[in-house]
Amino acid sequence: MKLARKSINNLAQITSIRSLSSGIEKEKADCVVIGGGVVGIAIARELSLNLRRNVLVIESASTFGTGSSSRNSQVIHGGIYYPPNSLKASLCVRGRRLLYDYCKEHGIPHKQIGKLIVATRYEEVPKLNYLLNRGNENGVEGLKMMDASEAMAMEPQLQCLKALWSPSSGIIDSHSLMLSLLGEAESHGTTFCYNNTVVGAHLEGDQIYLHVSETESLKNRDHKSQHCPDILLLPKLVVNSAGLSSAALARCFRGINRGVIPPSYYARGCYFSLLNTKVPAFNHLIYPIPEDGGLGVHVTLDLDGQVKFGPDVEWLHHIDDTSSILNKFDYTVCADRAKKFYPEIRKYYPSLKDDSLQPGYAGIRSKISGPGEGFADFIIQGEECHGIPGLVNLFGIESPGLTSSMAIAAHVATKLSRSK
Ligand SMILES: Cc1cc2nc3c(=O)[nH]c(=O)nc-3n(C[C@H](O)[C@H](O)[C@H](O)COP(=O)(O)OP(=O)(O)OC[C@H]3O[C@@H](n4cnc5c(N)ncnc54)[C@H](O)[C@@H]3O)c2cc1C
């Protein structure tokens, strides 16, 4: 466990206590955040900056933000879609405001370009009215219903019957955001420990023992055999922000009530980019009416104007908890999937040319409700739910998790503010 040991030994707050009985080295820590995605990084920043905790982030990959945080649409969402009073609604609206302020203060590349949600069939028009009401209830600013001519004047390539305009939506460079949050966390004492995976935990009284192993040593792990961790960490606080595998990991925590852990589902979303466009085909985000499992194959733009379409929804089956924790996800974008994209996109962009899409990248949604099961909220569980002091589990942090990241961090800090 070379890297972890190097980082851990640098931490003044950790006292090394070798366990002669078990033979596995144990280290005390103040606060451990599991997962260095945008949410884990924002939480580490918040806990070190505002709660003045000594934070250690354990990340299984060789650097930060290689999971969903760099495989998404990079859209700053308004907060329209989610049921009023849900965590998704409140944390998205609050997170969006925090994010825009943070971007302005720290020079993070972003653009508030606005978004059109479009109805392309008459049956869809009532859904736009429903979204307008919902967005208003959620406190989303400036929503406006547009008739086809007004929307199509804004976007000459667009075809629609009606559109809902959301001026507060935008795009962001998520990597720059993570880098900035990480820098602030580090300058307030957070240590990032890469190439190490939390493989489980157990409780002794109220003390959590986190089981940590070098990621490299897990590569050829046989699913059936018992794995002996390289080190046991004994933190006062633990935040499980392991993204796709947070629920799988929580199921490996001996002593936790499994009844409070939601099931895991995974839905891959692929992106295709538009070839040969000297002038961007669109200047705003264009979204169809949401579908089961996602927001529909939409238009998103990079900050340099490159147009992308996606993500579609492909439910992945047979991913067991060990494969999830070991990050054995397939992010391949099969060029054949373009066949399904053309008819979806042509509903609102009829002049899309044949052979103009090229495979981009894929992300995987961290779901806690399965196909056809409908809305599931973010779950952020503290002691009040699972009874374990100092532990916060985050489950189902799919979209709008990037937009909500700073609000999620503040929410977690509030939960932990009274912890020792
Ligand atoms: C296709 C797609 C499009 C999206 N579009 C948007 C959007 O436009 N706007 C928006 O707001 N949101 C969007 N989202 C959601 C957003 O990307 C996520 O909510 C957000 O990135 C989640 O961040 P995270 O830190 O929780 O997870 P992640 O980024 O996945 O980070 C989790 C980290 O934990 C690490 N890890 C996992 N297991 C362990 C372990 N056992 N030990 C140590 N480390 C571990 C992983 O390596 C990873 O780095 C989208 C998501 C997807 C998949």
Side-chain angles (χ1 to χ4, degrees), residues 34-40 58-61 65-69 71-75 77 196-198 241-245 249 269 271 311 325 363-365 397-403:
I34 307 167
V38 69
V39 174
I58 307 277
E59 168 53 58
S60 54
T66 59
S68 303
S69 298
R71 299 174 163 279
N72 57 53
S73 302
Q74 304 201 91
V75 168
H77 286 294
N196 283 279
T197 300
V198 178
S241 180
L244 287 172
S245 49
L249 183 60
Y271 292 84
I325 293 167
I364 296 175
R365 300 174 182 86
I397 310 296
E398 54 171 335
S399 188
L402 170 64
T403 310

Side-chain angles (χ1 to χ4, degrees), residues 26 78-79 95 120 122 154 166 182-183 226 251 261-262 273 298 307 357 361 365 383 385 400:
K26 296 174 183 153
T120 53
Y122 286 106
M154 278 174 78
S166 166
L182 183 143
Q226 274 297 102
R251 282 188 282 276
I261 305 169
S273 46
H298 50 256
V307 174
L357 297 178
Y361 59 92
R365 300 174 182 86
E383 182 181 355
C385 176

Side-chain angles (χ1 to χ4, degrees), residues 351-363:
S351 59
L352 175 70
K353 293 197 177 72
D354 285 341
D355 303 322
S356 59
L357 297 178
Q358 73 172 4
Y361 59 92

Side-chain angles (χ1 to χ4, degrees), residues 72-74 271-274 297-302 305-310 345 348 357 360-361:
N72 57 53
S73 302
Q74 304 201 91
Y271 292 84
F272 282 79
S273 46
L274 190 59
V297 171
H298 50 256
V299 175
T300 184
L301 295 149
D302 285 348
Q306 171 66 55
V307 174
K308 294 173 294 177
F309 297 96
I345 299 166
Y348 54 83
L357 297 178
Y361 59 92

Side-chain angles (χ1 to χ4, degrees), residues 87-317:
L87 280 179
K88 280 186 178 171
S90 61
L91 295 176
C92 181
V93 171
R94 186 176 173 206
R96 164 171 54 78
R97 294 174 186 153
L98 290 171
L99 201 53
Y100 276 129
D101 288 348
Y102 187 85
C103 288
K104 282 174 204 148
E105 270 170 41
H106 293 81
I108 311 297
H110 73 290
K111 275 188 197 160
Q112 192 176 332
I113 55 175
K115 151 162 132 180
L116 288 164
I117 307 175
V118 298
T120 53
R121 290 179 294 134
Y122 286 106
E123 312 86 88
E124 290 178 345
V125 173
K127 292 182 187 158
L128 277 189
N129 291 321
Y130 173 82
L131 289 175
L132 171 66
N133 292 336
R134 185 165 261 199
N136 283 335
E137 269 191 79
N138 289 345
V140 181
E141 305 84 349
L143 294 176
K144 184 187 160 194
M145 203 59 94
M146 284 182 175
D147 60 24
S149 58
E150 199 178 351
M152 286 153 62
M154 278 174 78
E155 287 291 1
Q157 299 287 339
L158 175 67
Q159 181 172 289
C160 68
L161 297 171
K162 216 163 183 169
L164 176 60
W165 169 240
S166 166
S168 65
S169 308
I171 50 174
I172 182 171
D173 175 350
S174 57
H175 196 82
S176 297
L177 171 69
M178 287 190 274
L179 202 56
S180 175
L181 294 169
L182 183 143
E184 275 194 286
E186 280 186 337
S187 64
H188 287 85
T190 295
T191 299
F192 284 78
C193 175
Y194 300 114
N195 297 309
N196 283 279
T197 300
V198 178
V199 290
H202 73 274
L203 281 173
E204 290 186 16
D206 276 348
Q207 178 63 58
I208 302 170
Y209 285 62
L210 285 180
H211 304 188
V212 185
S213 287
E214 262 192 276
T215 305
E216 186 63 32
S217 72
L218 298 168
K219 286 212 168 126
N220 300 319
R221 182 179 161 183
D222 168 1
H223 279 215
K224 286 177 195 132
S225 64
Q226 274 297 102
H227 176 81
C228 185
D230 294 330
I231 197 165
L232 299 175
L233 281 178
L234 285 67
K236 291 182 190 152
L237 307 180
V238 177
V239 181
N240 172 8
S241 180
L244 287 172
S245 49
S246 64
L249 183 60
R251 282 188 282 276
C252 299
F253 287 5
R254 269 180 277 144
I256 196 169
N257 171 11
R258 279 177 155 236
V260 300
I261 305 169
S264 301
Y265 300 94
Y266 306 94
R268 180 164 44 207
C270 293
Y271 292 84
F272 282 79
S273 46
L274 190 59
L275 279 174
N276 303 327
T277 43
K278 287 192 191 99
V279 179
F282 296 98
N283 294 304
H284 306 91
L285 301 162
I286 312 284
Y287 277 59
I289 297 292
E291 58 181 334
D292 180 34
L295 296 180
V297 171
H298 50 256
V299 175
T300 184
L301 295 149
D302 285 348
L303 286 153
D304 60 8
Q306 171 66 55
V307 174
K308 294 173 294 177
F309 297 96
D312 60 350
V313 178
E314 181 193 1
W315 292 94
L316 304 177
H317 302 286

